[in-house]
Amino acid sequence: MMRNIVAGNWKSNKSINDARDWVSVMDKDMESLPIDVKVMIAPPAPYLASLVSLSNSRLLFVSQQVSATQSGAYTGEFTAEMLVSCGVDYALIGHSERRASYGETDEVVCKKVRCSLDAGLGVVLCCGENLDKRDAGEQEQVIKDQLSSALDGVNALEMEDVIIAYEPIWAIGTGRTASAEQAASMHGFIREWLASRFDLNTASATSILYGGSCKPSNANEIFASEDVDGGLIGGASLNPEEFQEIIKAASSL
Ligand code: 13P
């Protein structure tokens, strides 16, 4: 069982040429990176098909977005089937930026999870509380509500294709990271919740990533906890060298 994963999320950054350069560097260096860490990247969607064709290493590709519907008259949307047909491995679902600005409600998140799993597309499911909820001590309730609703109708077998990413909103792009203790505590809570919602085996096989200002200087400390299996990296994934430092930090070797 390999739980260790480092996934990069470029958000709306990089030109296609910069994206190609990044993939070429990673392809070249991948053999020297720890084999026990799965490495994933989520570039802007228009680049996906061409980057998948370009890449010749074990790098996995993630879409930052996926439709909550099947194909049809939905201008601007792209379906999970389309992503699979382009060689994409996962979709990022429920990111706080999409929840906050693009109407990704719990209900929409659940539909996207269903469409993705049905199409054979893996899911990186994001959850995270805002600062008000953290200050009120209600963070566990928020995460429990988000996960229960997103995974409604999902069975234990399907969980093999689901990765959870805990991203406290107050730590995203702010430079303020959750402390190692805060991350450890929430990840432990999520794993317990998975055990009660599914079963112990599913809970121990599911990767739970931390996201929010994770960078080379703090990755070792955050990943040291038993329940933190790696990271979902925004800013620090743009630069291959920084990203590689984080990948090394996620290795158990
Ligand atoms: P930063 O690493 O830039 O804080 O972004 C985290 C994130 O949102 C990854 O999805």
Side-chain angles (χ1 to χ4, degrees), residues 11-148:
K11 309 187 180 183
S12 284
N13 289 295
K14 283 194 190 293
S15 67
I16 182 68
N17 286 338
D18 289 345
R20 287 203 183 102
D21 289 347
W22 188 101
V23 169
S24 301
V25 171
M26 286 301 295
D27 276 351
K28 180 170 63 60
D29 294 346
M30 198 65 88
E31 274 190 32
S32 63
L33 290 169
I35 194 73
D36 69 328
V37 182
K38 279 195 216 168
V39 182
M40 307 183 174
I41 190 64
Y47 308 162
L48 276 166
S50 104
L51 295 182
V52 167
S53 310
L54 171 72
S55 179
N56 57 13
S57 69
R58 61 187 169 88
L59 185 60
L60 295 168
F61 285 88
V62 182
S63 176
Q64 296 175 25
Q65 160 55 348
V66 63
S67 172
T69 63
Q70 307 295 334
S71 58
Y74 305 106
T75 303
E77 291 293 305
F78 47 90
T79 67
E81 284 84 1
M82 292 172 193
L83 291 167
V84 169
S85 74
C86 291
V88 176
D89 305 288
Y90 284 86
L92 207 60
I93 301 180
H95 193 284
S96 60
E97 287 156 15
R98 297 212 55 89
R99 289 182 193 260
S101 308
Y102 302 96
E104 209 157 298
T105 60
D106 282 339
E107 193 190 351
V108 171
V109 168
C110 181
K111 283 187 183 154
K112 290 184 173 191
V113 169
R114 176 47 47 212
C115 287
S116 299
L117 294 177
D118 285 350
L121 186 66
V123 169
V124 181
L125 176 62
C126 304
C127 58
E129 80 284 359
N130 64 25
L131 192 55
D132 283 354
K133 295 290 183 185
R134 167 63 63 172
D135 286 344
E138 292 168 12
Q139 65 273 15
E140 291 185 350
Q141 188 61 45
V142 172
I143 300 308
K144 187 173 154 188
D145 290 348
Q146 287 177 348
L147 293 180
S148 317

Side-chain angles (χ1 to χ4, degrees), residues 9 11 92 95 97 167 171-174 211-214 232-236:
N9 174 13
K11 309 187 180 183
L92 207 60
H95 193 284
E97 287 156 15
E167 299 203 300
I172 296 179
T174 57
S213 300
C214 187
L232 178 56
I233 319 299

Side-chain angles (χ1 to χ4, degrees), residues 168-188:
I169 296 170
W170 45 273
I172 296 179
T174 57
R176 177 177 169 185
T177 331
S179 67
E181 293 72 30
Q182 286 171 322
S185 160
M186 182 58 87
H187 282 232

